[in-house]
Amino acid sequence: MVNGRVISRREASSKLIFIELLENNQHLQLVLSKATVDMSRGPLEPTGSPEFGRHHKLFRKGDIIQARGYVGKTKTGELSLFVTQPLRLLSPCLHDLPFRTGLRNYDRRYRQRYLDMLLNPDTRQLLRQRALLIRTLRQYFDQRGFTEVETPILWPQAGGANARPFRTEAHALSDLPLQLRVAPELFLKRLVIGGLDRVFEIGKQFRNEGIDADHNPEFTTIEFYQAYTNMEGLIKTTEELLREIAVAVTGSAQVTYSAAGTEPVLLDFKPPFKRIHVMEELERKLGESLPNLDDPDFALAALTQICQRHRIRLCSPVTLPRVLDTLIGHYLEPNCIQPTFLYGHPKIMSPLAKSNDKDTSVTQRFELFMLGKEIVNAYEELNDPEDQRARFAQQLKDRAVGDEEAHNLDEGFCQSLEYGLPPTGGWGMGIDRLCAILTNVKHLRETLTFPIMRPSE
């Protein structure tokens, strides 16, 4: 017995019908012969009359049916099910489905995603590859003694990343204002303080920001936190993990990406990855020295002048972290085609990262880029509660001039640091972006089961 969806139907004669069935992504041919189908075992009268033809004309493309028979091969050698009992209709399809041509209208593909999956095998395969990517991540951390956890999605104050949150309220808590999380970082570090030295979480984050090929308001990340590791340990883990994922999903550590409409790029995930020091490379690209960042007001004025001289447009609000981010985005990120680590970020850009022991103006942080896209952000975690309060205070100044993405002060987190956070490395990766690259698609929404769309007119 088999169950599945009718993909095609062909009548060779009034006594012989061929039906193509789809079940669990597998295709199977059904052979219905008037001579072998025992109509007496079905809902109609015994065979020997036209009922065979009339009954099986009721089944159309898209119908979900059940068939019983025996397995054999046709004269052409195709493995088939030779049906011995009348087909049974399990669920009808009331619309014509273009199985042969597929669904090509992009707007309809995303608004009726179930049709896209049904008619375009590549969509189903992509979602299976995404599942394999996530399964590989879990196996990697499970095998290394990490504990998978779940932390709150709704909380009075979102934190852990510079981003604008979604806001709501809880009627059961006297209309308490709540926010959807933008990152799980601050909770995961509390777990390390609580004695879980190795934790990771795969989950949804929500940022009330733009939508484009690389951004979606709802997206999936993995973050892990490991006590007693450092930036070099995080880099080694990143290189090892990315290579393992590439091999699992594509079968090779070298992956061709050609979806951007430009020349295909052969991405090489074999370690070691290239490293670029952010401040040194910016100075080289600009052809001049950058100002001392210890005086934020002076540095902001100087960097603004540099941007004006190089005709780099700055968006409001103009704050020191945003200007630095603009320069990095203009000069460094687009050139990171192969997997590349950017490191040596200024402290002003990294409010949760530990400072470098030799140069306290920069942090023990890196970002992994490829194809000009950020994939990983990681650093040694700041574990000094007073330094953390000072960093939050600087973020509050940025909020005061209109930067809604800057951190709020989270005194509860600062208080938890007073109980002692071990030297810890923290690491986060966007699963959707990596999946898009490894499956060779241009837009992040291709990797999502049901991407959000603007209302249709």
Side-chain angles (χ1 to χ4, degrees):
M1 182 184 73
V2 296
N3 304 298
R5 189 182 292 271
V6 176
I7 301 300
S8 67
R9 181 182 183 280
R10 177 172 62 88
E11 291 190 20
S13 69
S14 62
K15 300 180 180 180
L16 183 62
I17 302 171
F18 295 92
I19 290 178
E20 183 182 357
L21 206 65
L22 177 67
E23 179 188 19
N24 196 26
N25 215 41
Q26 300 295 317
H27 290 256
L28 175 65
Q29 178 175 264
L30 306 183
V31 180
L32 295 91
S33 171
K34 185 174 180 179
T36 58
V37 177
D38 182 2
M39 295 300 295
S40 67
R41 304 187 66 176
L44 299 183
E45 295 301 317
T47 190
S49 63
E51 275 69 25
F52 169 85
R54 287 207 306 268
H55 175 72
H56 292 104
K57 280 184 181 294
L58 298 174
F59 298 93
R60 305 173 54 190
K61 284 192 302 182
D63 287 348
I64 300 170
I65 65 172
Q66 183 180 90
R68 295 175 183 269
Y70 62 89
V71 176
K73 289 187 177 181
T74 62
K75 292 180 180 180
T76 60
E78 182 173 355
L79 189 67
S80 305
L81 181 75
F82 289 82
V83 177
T84 59
Q85 297 182 26
L87 298 180
R88 180 185 175 194
L89 180 66
L90 300 180
S91 181
C93 176
L94 305 181
H95 299 271
D96 185 43
L97 297 176
F99 282 107
R100 294 305 178 193
T101 59
L103 186 63
R104 296 289 175 257
N105 182 287
Y106 280 96
D107 189 70
R108 193 178 180 197
R109 280 185 59 209
Y110 298 127
R111 293 188 188 280
Q112 294 179 283
R113 191 64 155 158
Y114 51 90
L115 282 184
D116 183 28
M117 298 177 205
L118 183 60
L119 298 173
N120 297 328
D122 288 347
T123 300
R124 299 196 300 272
Q125 176 60 20
L126 192 155
L127 294 177
R128 288 186 172 91
Q129 288 177 290
R130 178 188 173 102
L132 178 57
L133 189 161
I134 294 174
R135 187 159 62 248
T136 303
L137 283 168
R138 279 201 168 92
Q139 290 173 348
Y140 181 90
F141 289 105
D142 283 343
Q143 292 167 1
R144 288 158 179 79
F146 282 77
T147 301
E148 183 172 7
V149 297
E150 294 176 290
T151 60
I153 291 175
L154 274 176
W155 202 250
Q157 181 173 293
N162 285 21
R164 179 186 298 175
F166 286 92
R167 303 175 189 277
T168 185
E169 57 187 27
H171 298 313
L173 297 173
S174 303
D175 295 332
L176 175 69
L178 295 174
Q179 299 177 0
L180 289 177
R181 72 179 180 190
V182 297
E185 176 171 342
L186 302 186
F187 286 108
L188 292 173
K189 286 193 278 195
R190 286 178 171 102
L191 292 175
V192 177
I193 294 170
L196 293 175
D197 286 351
R198 295 187 176 199
V199 293
F200 77 97
E201 180 173 11
I202 297 173
K204 294 288 189 181
Q205 318 307 329
F206 306 87
R207 299 182 183 180
N208 198 359
E209 298 168 2
I211 301 177
D212 57 30
D214 299 318
H215 298 86
N216 197 64
E218 174 188 347
F219 60 102
T220 305
T221 67
I222 177 170
E223 291 199 14
F224 81 80
Y225 290 80
Q226 180 179 350
Y228 311 110
T229 191
N230 55 22
M231 195 169 84
E232 282 301 319
L234 294 173
I235 286 175
K236 181 180 178 181
T237 296
T238 305
E239 292 174 334
E240 182 179 79
L241 177 58
L242 266 290
R243 183 185 185 283
E244 191 167 316
I245 291 172
V247 172
V249 175
T250 71
S252 173
Q254 293 185 315
V255 179
T256 299
Y257 183 81
S258 58
T262 57
E263 288 295 318
V265 176
L266 184 64
L267 295 170
D268 191 352
F269 288 92
K270 182 181 178 181
F273 298 165
K274 184 179 179 180
R275 302 186 188 190
I276 295 175
H277 190 284
V278 168
M279 300 303 283
E280 293 175 0
E281 186 68 7
L282 273 181
E283 290 185 335
R284 192 182 72 82
K285 291 283 188 179
L286 290 166
E288 58 182 297
S289 298
L290 294 172
N292 189 322
L293 302 179
D294 290 338
D295 183 344
D297 294 334
F298 170 78
L300 177 59
L303 286 172
T304 302
Q305 292 177 359
I306 288 174
C307 290
Q308 291 172 347
R309 287 199 298 272
H310 292 268
R311 297 182 178 180
I312 298 172
R313 181 173 175 268
L314 296 176
C315 296
S316 181
V318 179
T319 64
L320 185 53
R322 290 170 68 94
V323 173
L324 287 165
D325 189 60
T326 299
L327 287 169
I328 294 170
H330 183 83
Y331 285 108
L332 306 188
E333 293 174 6
N335 298 319
C336 298
I337 305 302
Q338 292 296 328
T340 303
F341 292 117
L342 296 183
Y343 72 101
H345 295 76
K347 182 167 63 175
I348 194 72
M349 296 182 69
S350 312
L352 299 170
K354 183 178 288 187
S355 298
N356 183 287
D357 290 337
K358 296 179 180 179
D359 181 0
T360 57
S361 67
V362 299
T363 55
Q364 292 293 89
R365 174 191 176 192
F366 68 81
E367 295 175 293
L368 177 71
F369 277 78
M370 67 182 80
L371 299 173
K373 308 173 192 288
E374 179 193 343
I375 306 298
V376 172
N377 185 30
Y379 40 82
E380 294 180 22
E381 301 296 337
L382 178 61
N383 56 359
D384 181 335
E386 293 310 314
D387 192 356
Q388 185 64 82
R389 287 187 175 96
R391 305 271 192 101
F392 280 149
Q394 179 60 48
Q395 291 283 299
L396 290 176
K397 292 181 181 179
D398 292 339
R399 288 187 69 86
V401 296
D403 187 355
E404 295 184 30
E405 298 179 2
H407 273 273
N408 270 308
L409 170 64
D410 190 329
E411 180 54 35
F413 173 67
C414 293
Q415 186 179 47
S416 72
L417 291 179
E418 294 176 357
Y419 289 85
L421 172 66
T424 298
W427 183 97
M429 182 177 74
I431 289 176
D432 307 325
R433 282 188 194 172
L434 180 61
C435 183
I437 291 172
L438 294 181
T439 55
N440 196 33
V441 295
K442 183 177 180 179
H443 206 292
L444 185 142
R445 65 186 171 201
E446 293 278 5
T447 73
L448 308 178
T449 50
F450 297 97
I452 193 167
M453 301 285 288
R454 298 182 189 277
S456 56
E457 296 180 357

